[in-house]
Amino acid sequence: MRVSSAVMTHPVRLEQARDLAARLRLDGLALDPDPDGPPSALRTALVAWAAADARASHHLVVQDDVSAPPELTALVGRAADRFPDEALVFYTNWHARNGGAARLAALAGATWVRAVPDEFTPSLAVCLPVGTAEEFRRFADGSTERHDDELFSVFFRARGRMSLIAVPNVVEHIGTSSINGHAAQGIRLAVCPMDAADAAPLLERGRVLEEPGWIPYMRYGEGYVRLVGQERAADGGRGHHRWRDALPATGLAEEAVREAVVDAMPKELAADVAHRFGWAFAEELWIHCLLLGRQAAGAARRLGDGPGGPPADALARMREAAVATAGPAGLPPERRPEAGPDEVRLMAAFAWTAVSEGERLPQE
């Protein structure tokens, strides 16, 4: 496989983009063709996808506000060789539904997960077969949509196949500014950050979770559940279902969840989390991770033990990385800066008690 590449950027970040392209040895820059016009990531994305080399099999587009290791293009090339016909996504936001799917997959021992159809496709680092890149460019040309991540999902849904998301993230978002209007979301980081040495064998030999079932996720301090088939709702599935309202569709009774809270939630850890972030958040985080552990255990059983998989220690570090982001990702944006290293460790320890208890909940 031969992968060409481009960094999509705006003149206000030109030096940052040049530095990124040089460090990662990417082929070039794709500049916003109308930098004084209304903000539009899609406008620049069309330039980036049109930059695919005719001699390449795949094309990688990276946004300018990321960090990544020098091995990125090699990792992407090997992933494209393994999945030559797939759209591959190498970064996922820690608080999105797709972030919830990736966190669940990590706990189940999968290193790739199929994206959900009712949410934007994270577009900070995407690799497409060159034919698919050209199809997307033609599909998007003339669209009034300004968000490339939203239009990606419309495109993939029409094709009947969503992207494959890399669970270990070697690409990380940097900064909190947003040319395209996302600054209100605050700190936005990867769901499962890992270094390239661990990520390489995971991405090359790890299993794919095609259908995670219902997906617990947190946003703005509250727990939600993405239901199976939610995309068929009248609103396209974009609505958010609080976990209490969604429970009847999951096969779990609220009584079982409440019993677990009373019997198994560690009081001292809960009090420490509540002291920093409030009791309501502590309880929501624990229940979210309880549901996450339950779903991950079921997914792991469905996946089974595949031969010749990646190293067990790398899989364990992937699980740790995914759980470590659950707490800070679940906080409201204005409170995420309060989650320093000590708070992250505290919330991770608290989250693991819930995941472990969730693994013991009955399956459907």
Side-chain angles (χ1 to χ4, degrees):
M1 298 292 173
R2 185 175 188 277
V3 180
S4 60
S5 54
V7 180
M8 52 184 283
T9 190
H10 186 278
V12 299
R13 290 182 180 161
L14 186 56
E15 289 307 312
Q16 181 174 307
R18 284 173 174 160
D19 179 63
L20 180 67
R23 283 188 287 109
L24 301 185
R25 298 184 295 278
L26 303 178
D27 293 336
L29 305 181
L31 285 166
D32 186 339
D34 184 16
D36 296 322
S40 172
L42 181 62
R43 187 171 61 225
T44 309
L46 290 175
V47 176
W49 290 111
D53 191 321
R55 299 165 295 175
S57 61
H58 291 73
H59 189 56
L60 169 68
V61 171
V62 177
Q63 295 188 13
D64 56 16
D65 54 346
V66 304
S67 64
E71 302 93 332
L72 177 65
T73 55
L75 286 171
V76 170
R78 289 195 291 272
D81 189 53
R82 180 180 178 186
F83 303 110
D85 301 321
E86 297 280 6
L88 302 176
V89 170
F90 291 90
Y91 167 90
T92 307
N93 287 334
W94 62 2
H95 66 289
R97 294 179 213 193
N98 279 317
R103 190 175 285 114
L104 193 159
L107 285 169
T111 63
W112 294 89
V113 65
R114 187 68 61 184
V116 302
D118 42 273
E119 187 180 66
F120 66 90
T121 298
S123 58
L124 267 66
V126 177
C127 179
L128 299 179
V130 291
T132 305
E134 176 58 21
E135 286 180 37
F136 174 71
R137 193 182 64 80
R138 292 198 301 266
F139 176 85
D141 189 34
S143 172
T144 58
E145 174 62 65
R146 66 189 182 94
H147 299 287
D148 61 330
D149 52 6
E150 295 285 1
L151 203 59
F152 263 140
S153 288
V154 176
F155 174 68
F156 293 139
R157 283 197 300 270
R159 290 166 59 92
R161 192 170 185 82
M162 301 307 291
S163 61
L164 266 188
I165 292 174
V167 175
N169 294 161
V170 297
V171 175
E172 183 61 280
H173 182 251
I174 58 174
T176 57
S177 65
S178 174
I179 292 171
N180 213 38
H182 298 310
Q185 295 180 23
I187 297 169
R188 309 179 297 283
L189 297 177
V191 65
C192 186
M194 298 194 74
D195 62 33
D198 272 341
L202 294 172
L203 296 176
E204 290 168 28
R205 304 199 298 274
R207 289 167 293 172
V208 177
L209 182 59
E210 286 284 356
E211 179 47 70
W214 51 269
I215 301 167
Y217 64 102
M218 277 193 81
R219 61 193 307 271
Y220 307 132
E222 295 182 325
Y224 295 83
V225 168
R226 188 264 170 189
L227 297 171
V228 175
Q230 183 170 318
E231 70 277 8
R232 295 191 289 272
D235 65 352
R238 298 307 293 266
H240 299 282
H241 302 291
R242 294 284 282 115
W243 66 265
R244 295 177 189 83
D245 301 327
L247 276 184
T250 70
L252 278 174
E254 185 170 352
E255 182 182 2
V257 173
R258 290 299 178 190
E259 286 178 356
V261 171
V262 171
D263 296 340
M265 188 169 72
K267 292 179 175 56
E268 187 172 333
L269 279 175
D272 286 345
V273 174
H275 175 71
R276 289 165 171 82
F277 301 110
W279 176 255
F281 172 77
E283 186 176 64
E284 286 286 298
L285 175 62
W286 201 85
I287 291 173
H288 162 67
C289 291
L290 178 83
L291 300 177
L292 186 64
R294 190 268 189 191
Q295 276 300 82
R301 278 192 282 273
R302 293 194 302 275
L303 283 170
D305 295 321
D313 57 344
L315 283 168
R317 284 190 287 273
M318 179 179 70
R319 286 166 53 91
E320 294 283 349
V323 172
T325 64
L331 287 166
E334 67 274 12
R335 302 212 62 184
R336 289 180 198 148
E338 300 172 36
D342 290 343
E343 288 76 17
V344 170
R345 282 190 291 269
L346 168 63
M347 287 188 286
F350 185 56
W352 271 116
T353 67
V355 169
S356 299
E357 184 64 21
E359 291 170 346
R360 292 189 282 270
L361 287 177
Q363 296 290 318
E364 295 176 65

